[in-house]
Amino acid sequence: MAKSARPAPSLIPAVLALIVLFVLGYILFADLQPSRTEHTVNPPFELDDPELEIINEAPIMPAQDQQQIIAEEAASFVEQLAADDEADETTAVTINEQQGEFVRHDGIIAIPKLEHRNTTVGELSQDKTLAADTPVILQFTETEKQTTTLQALDDSIEDKKQIITLEQKDGTRRQAPLADLLNEKDADKNASITVIKEHNRTEQLTIGELAESDISSSQKVIATINQGIEELSVKDIVQAGELPDNALFYLHRVTERDRQGLWGIIQSGLIQRFRQGLALEGISRNKELARVTIPADADEPLPTGLSSFLGKVLNKKVTSSYIYNFSTHTMGHDPNLIHPGQQLILIHFSPNELKQIYVFFAEQRNEQAQSFAISQ
């Protein structure tokens, strides 16, 4: 039996597919075109040019220039360190018990002759060897007695742990916290009691004024009597002819406060003097004083165990110090034998040594400032 002929494929589906693709492509392309509406503004806006602020930054100073400025500051600082006190070469520099001073090798110093006594006001007033105009400083503890009650103390004192000193009937004293006195079993809060209060007092006057003061003649005092001024030449004290006239000495009068010995005396003297600074003209811009801060722990050993810069300086100066006893007019060099009220410490520094100290801590200050600025 003969096979039937296969029908010819139709082109209509293909044509429809092409039409659909064309339409979709047109729609997608039309969506991608930006739509923009232009408006004409009449009159048109005029835009002003913005005013730009001109900032003039200070040029960064090269490290070499900073080092030069620090070196110049150090030289001026050391040159003037003793000049203010010795503007007139014939004027003596007074060395008191409050603050040490730097003095040139060719300088003159004035040492007040101070005598310290543990005495009473009555004994001091009757001393015929003291003139009426003799200056004296009295330090003593003044006792005040007040009659009150425990109830009044309870009402007026907030801190119940405060120590109260009571005068008992037999004249003896008893000290106890207020809370303990209030909580005693047989305590009568309204009974009359005598409270003793003590105040430290300092009076500066003359022997003549002492007799007219309100201080009791039986009052025990520590009296510092000024017996006049003694002027001495630094050259005569040191007697080191090889030293130049511009050599500097740090002079310190030994007092009861000098509990750290020579090391502490030199360290505190350098810290105080370099921190006070000096007013120098033309050293640098925006700077009124030439000064540096020496940290209080700058003499401590380094983390490696080695001596610090300042520690080496102090160790050298302790072993080469002069210890002058102005009561006996004798010189010593033993750093372990210093006596308050009798001795004057003289520490020699060359100008170059003091410049090195200034430069070292000035550069350390700048390094810390730069590190702080970078970390911000």
Side-chain angles (χ1 to χ4, degrees):
M1 184 160 99
K3 295 183 179 178
S4 58
R6 179 179 298 175
S10 175
L11 296 176
I12 294 175
V15 173
L16 292 175
L18 288 173
I19 293 172
V20 170
L21 290 174
F22 177 79
V23 172
L24 291 173
Y26 177 79
I27 293 173
L28 293 174
F29 177 79
D31 288 343
L32 292 175
Q33 294 297 319
S35 60
R36 183 176 63 180
T37 302
E38 296 184 358
H39 301 276
T40 302
V41 179
N42 190 19
F45 289 114
E46 295 183 2
L47 299 178
D48 295 331
D49 294 334
E51 295 183 1
L52 301 179
E53 181 181 357
I54 300 176
I55 301 176
N56 296 321
E57 294 186 357
I60 299 176
M61 190 175 299
Q64 184 176 2
D65 292 344
Q66 289 184 346
Q67 292 177 352
Q68 181 179 355
I69 289 177
I70 291 175
E72 292 175 356
E73 282 184 19
S76 299
F77 179 86
V78 173
E79 183 179 351
Q80 300 295 323
L81 193 55
D84 289 345
D85 296 327
E86 298 181 8
D88 182 357
E89 294 181 357
T90 63
T91 303
V93 179
T94 300
I95 309 298
N96 55 41
E97 295 184 339
Q98 283 68 49
Q99 176 176 314
E101 299 288 349
F102 277 92
V103 183
R104 285 167 51 102
H105 183 219
D106 57 355
I108 304 295
I109 62 172
I111 302 177
K113 297 179 180 179
L114 302 179
E115 178 188 355
H116 300 278
R117 292 187 194 178
N118 289 315
T119 182
T120 66
V121 170
E123 292 175 352
L124 200 59
S125 300
Q126 296 172 6
D127 189 340
K128 302 302 182 182
T129 64
L130 301 177
D133 60 351
T134 301
V136 61
I137 299 175
L138 303 181
Q139 294 176 306
F140 57 96
T141 301
E142 194 172 43
T143 302
E144 175 188 354
K145 294 183 180 182
Q146 177 185 3
T147 301
T148 183
T149 64
L150 286 177
Q151 186 61 56
L153 294 178
D154 188 21
D155 295 339
S156 62
I157 299 177
E158 183 177 353
D159 182 10
K160 308 307 179 186
K161 295 181 181 179
Q162 180 175 325
I163 301 299
I164 305 298
T165 303
L166 299 178
E167 184 180 55
Q168 306 197 91
K169 293 180 179 180
D170 60 358
T172 59
R173 294 184 180 186
R174 178 193 174 194
Q175 288 186 327
L178 176 58
D180 292 354
L181 297 175
L182 293 171
N183 293 328
E184 287 182 348
K185 185 177 181 180
D186 300 329
D188 182 355
K189 294 184 179 181
N190 296 313
S192 178
I193 59 175
T194 301
V195 176
I196 297 177
K197 295 182 178 181
E198 294 183 335
H199 309 279
N200 292 329
R201 182 175 167 184
T202 301
E203 291 288 338
Q204 186 169 351
L205 64 176
T206 64
I207 295 297
E209 295 170 341
L210 182 59
E212 301 174 0
S213 69
D214 61 348
I215 308 174
S216 172
S217 61
S218 61
Q219 176 67 57
K220 294 181 179 180
V221 297
I222 299 175
T224 302
I225 307 167
N226 191 333
Q227 301 276 20
I229 299 293
E230 180 180 8
E231 292 192 356
L232 299 168
S233 165
V234 176
K235 283 185 177 181
D236 291 340
I237 296 175
V238 177
Q239 295 184 355
E242 71 278 4
L243 292 177
D245 287 346
N246 67 342
L248 290 172
F249 285 85
Y250 175 71
L251 273 60
H252 175 88
R253 187 164 182 164
V254 181
T255 70
E256 295 286 353
R257 299 186 299 270
D258 298 320
R259 298 179 179 178
Q260 295 184 350
L262 277 177
W263 185 287
I265 290 172
I266 306 170
Q267 180 189 18
S268 61
L270 289 175
I271 289 176
Q272 184 180 34
R273 202 67 177 92
F274 277 66
R275 182 178 57 202
Q276 286 177 345
L278 294 172
L280 304 177
E281 295 182 0
I283 52 174
S284 63
R285 293 177 300 175
N286 302 323
K287 191 169 184 179
E288 298 179 355
L289 291 176
R291 63 180 177 185
V292 291
T293 298
I294 301 177
D297 60 351
D299 62 323
E300 297 293 331
L302 301 174
T304 58
L306 299 176
S307 297
S308 64
F309 169 78
L310 186 61
K312 293 178 181 177
V313 172
L314 296 180
N315 183 65
K316 178 182 177 182
K317 296 306 173 184
V318 166
T319 56
S320 62
S321 59
Y322 297 87
I323 305 172
Y324 179 72
N325 190 313
F326 49 81
S327 296
T328 61
H329 298 281
T330 56
M331 179 68 75
H333 295 278
D334 189 344
N336 297 314
L337 295 177
I338 57 176
H339 304 287
Q342 299 179 355
Q343 292 179 324
L344 183 69
I345 306 299
L346 299 93
I347 310 296
H348 167 241
F349 286 93
S350 69
N352 190 50
E353 287 176 321
L354 292 170
K355 290 177 189 177
Q356 290 176 355
I357 295 173
Y358 189 100
V359 169
F360 179 86
F361 289 103
E363 290 181 344
Q364 190 177 75
R365 173 195 60 199
N366 287 352
E367 290 174 1
Q368 292 174 348
Q370 291 174 1
S371 299
F372 178 78
I374 293 173
S375 65
Q376 296 300 305

